[in-house]
């Protein structure tokens, strides 16, 4: 399964961090959460960190859900 892509982040003058996905704002982090996010981005893969912080990541059950009778 390919890793997440299309994420970007920008730090604003007030210290908040805006995470975008394919050019659309996904979430805004402020205060301690923004600082924690920036520290985590420095240590790990930025795309995976941003996917985790926005909740936009694959859970591994997409194929199962697609094949469920109610989704046909």
């Amino acid at each position: 399964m390919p890793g997440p892509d299309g994420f970007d982040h920008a730090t604003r003058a007030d210290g908040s961090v805006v995470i975008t996905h394919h050019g659309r704002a996904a979430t805004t982090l402020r205060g301690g959460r923004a600082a924690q996010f920036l520290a985590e981005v420095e240590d790990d893969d930025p795309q995976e960190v941003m996917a985790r912080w926005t909740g936009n990541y694959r859970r591994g059950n997409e194929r199962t859900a697609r094949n469920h009778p109610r989704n046909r």
Side-chain angles (χ1 to χ4, degrees), residues 5-72:
D5 66 342
F7 288 98
D8 195 18
H9 72 281
T11 305
R12 293 184 175 169
D14 64 355
S16 63
V17 176
V18 177
I19 301 174
T20 58
H21 187 240
H22 295 293
R24 300 178 96 177
T27 191
T28 303
L29 305 171
R30 294 178 179 89
R33 291 189 52 156
Q36 183 181 1
F37 167 78
L38 291 172
E40 194 172 331
V41 163
E42 293 294 323
D43 294 337
D44 293 332
D45 177 32
Q47 292 295 310
E48 290 196 15
V49 170
M50 287 183 272
R52 194 167 55 246
W53 277 79
T54 60
N56 186 354
Y57 55 92
R58 294 189 177 263
R59 293 158 186 86
N61 63 352
E62 288 82 7
R63 184 175 300 155
T64 305
R66 182 176 54 223
N67 294 333
H68 193 275
R70 94 171 152 247
N71 295 331
R72 289 187 179 180

